[in-house]
Amino acid sequence: MANFNTHLNVAFAVSGITALTIYKTGLIDDSGFLLCVALGTAGGLLPDLDSDHSTPIKLGFNLASFIFAFGLVMHWRSDLSLLALMALWLAGYGFMRYVVFHVFTTMTVHRGVIHSVPYMAILGLGFTYISYYVMHNPLTASWFYGLFLFGGALVHLSLDELYSVNLSGMRMKRSSGTAMKFYQHKDRWWYLLLYALLAVLVYFAPPFETFLQQVSDPAPWAQLRVDMLPAMMEDLLK
Ligand SMILES: [Zn+2]
């Protein structure tokens, strides 16, 4: 198992670099960029959320709530009054820190269930739903938000997987089995429930085809190539 700091740093680095690349293509705006980094980082901490009694997790969740609230304020910064923004900040923080955290920790006592790929896919997809249907964010941004949350969680699971193999390539006894979990027989009813829920979410998801078309459009990526190197270096290469 990788420790809390490793998870925090790696998730932040990976989502920071990825979000910056996407931002440079122009597919997401300023607040979208911040929210992607925040979600990717939060995703990197989520799988260990069931160990809710450990201080680092609480600290991490505080931080994630803070970033989430900040993301909300950034998103509506020009549409709302100062007072409304302050209320939004508090409400966003309170919602994440107390409601979401509470639901996660009470609902999932089974470590095997929350520390799994399908659970994280549900969270990611769930966030895309909220972003698109509730917050009315653009389709592309909404899909990126969900993917960043899920991607961060995958980074977490991969790290645990890496750390469960010691230097000589032998598996440590404690983490027998895989960290990158899709199914576990002892929790089969939980997994059945998870996959059923996931199927429903996939079926009613915001249009993924349209998102793919937007992302595979060569124009934004051409822009990225133009912006890749500092202007001075480009002059030298000419
Ligand atoms: Zn873990």
Side-chain angles (χ1 to χ4, degrees):
M1 295 291 152
N3 67 26
F4 178 81
N5 275 327
T6 312
H7 281 309
L8 183 66
N9 289 320
V10 176
F12 180 73
V14 172
S15 43
I17 291 165
T18 319
L20 191 61
T21 310
I22 296 167
Y23 174 72
K24 276 293 197 184
T25 65
L27 285 164
I28 46 172
D29 60 7
D30 295 19
S31 53
F33 165 65
L34 285 176
L35 208 55
C36 278
V37 179
L39 285 166
T41 309
L45 304 173
L46 276 176
D48 281 345
L49 210 71
D50 56 342
S51 26
D52 51 311
H53 296 300
S54 71
T55 334
I57 297 300
K58 271 190 185 149
L59 194 80
F61 213 86
N62 266 329
L63 198 73
S65 309
F66 191 74
I67 297 169
F68 174 77
F70 187 68
L72 284 179
V73 169
M74 281 295 289
H75 187 78
W76 277 291
R77 65 189 184 281
S78 38
D79 306 328
L80 295 174
S81 67
L82 179 63
L83 212 64
L85 282 173
M86 284 162 115
L88 182 69
W89 190 309
L90 277 178
Y93 180 82
F95 177 73
M96 279 295 278
R97 179 66 185 82
Y98 298 104
V99 182
V100 178
F101 187 52
H102 183 76
V103 169
F104 280 144
T105 49
T106 46
M107 242 176 56
T108 45
V109 262
H110 291 263
R111 167 157 194 88
V113 176
I114 191 167
H115 209 270
S116 75
V117 179
Y119 193 98
M120 292 299 141
I122 288 173
L123 291 188
L125 206 50
F127 199 90
T128 299
Y129 268 73
I130 294 173
S131 170
Y132 186 68
Y133 292 124
V134 182
M135 291 159 83
H136 301 293
N137 285 321
L139 180 76
T140 313
S142 298
W143 271 111
F144 274 126
Y145 296 158
L147 285 172
F148 265 85
L149 193 69
F150 182 53
L154 287 185
V155 167
H156 177 113
L157 298 177
S158 318
L159 271 177
D160 280 352
E161 181 73 41
L162 271 176
Y163 275 69
S164 73
V165 181
N166 68 18
L167 285 176
S168 57
M170 303 271 283
R171 270 185 191 290
M172 281 188 225
K173 213 176 167 190
R174 192 168 156 263
S175 36
S176 57
T178 174
M180 204 69 155
K181 224 176 292 148
F182 286 91
Y183 176 76
Q184 230 183 356
H185 194 66
K186 72 174 172 67
D187 290 325
R188 56 192 172 282
W189 297 111
W190 275 103
Y191 278 95
L192 193 70
L193 188 74
L194 285 184
Y195 280 109
L197 185 60
L198 190 59
V200 173
L201 284 177
V202 167
Y203 189 79
F204 293 105
F208 189 69
E209 282 285 295
T210 322
F211 167 71
L212 267 189
Q213 270 164 20
Q214 273 161 347
V215 172
S216 54
D217 179 8
W221 300 101
Q223 179 59 37
L224 178 68
R225 218 167 16 238
V226 172
D227 276 351
M228 181 76 89
L229 298 169
M232 207 179 74
M233 273 170 84
E234 292 223 321
D235 288 344
L236 285 174
L237 287 173
K238 266 176 200 161

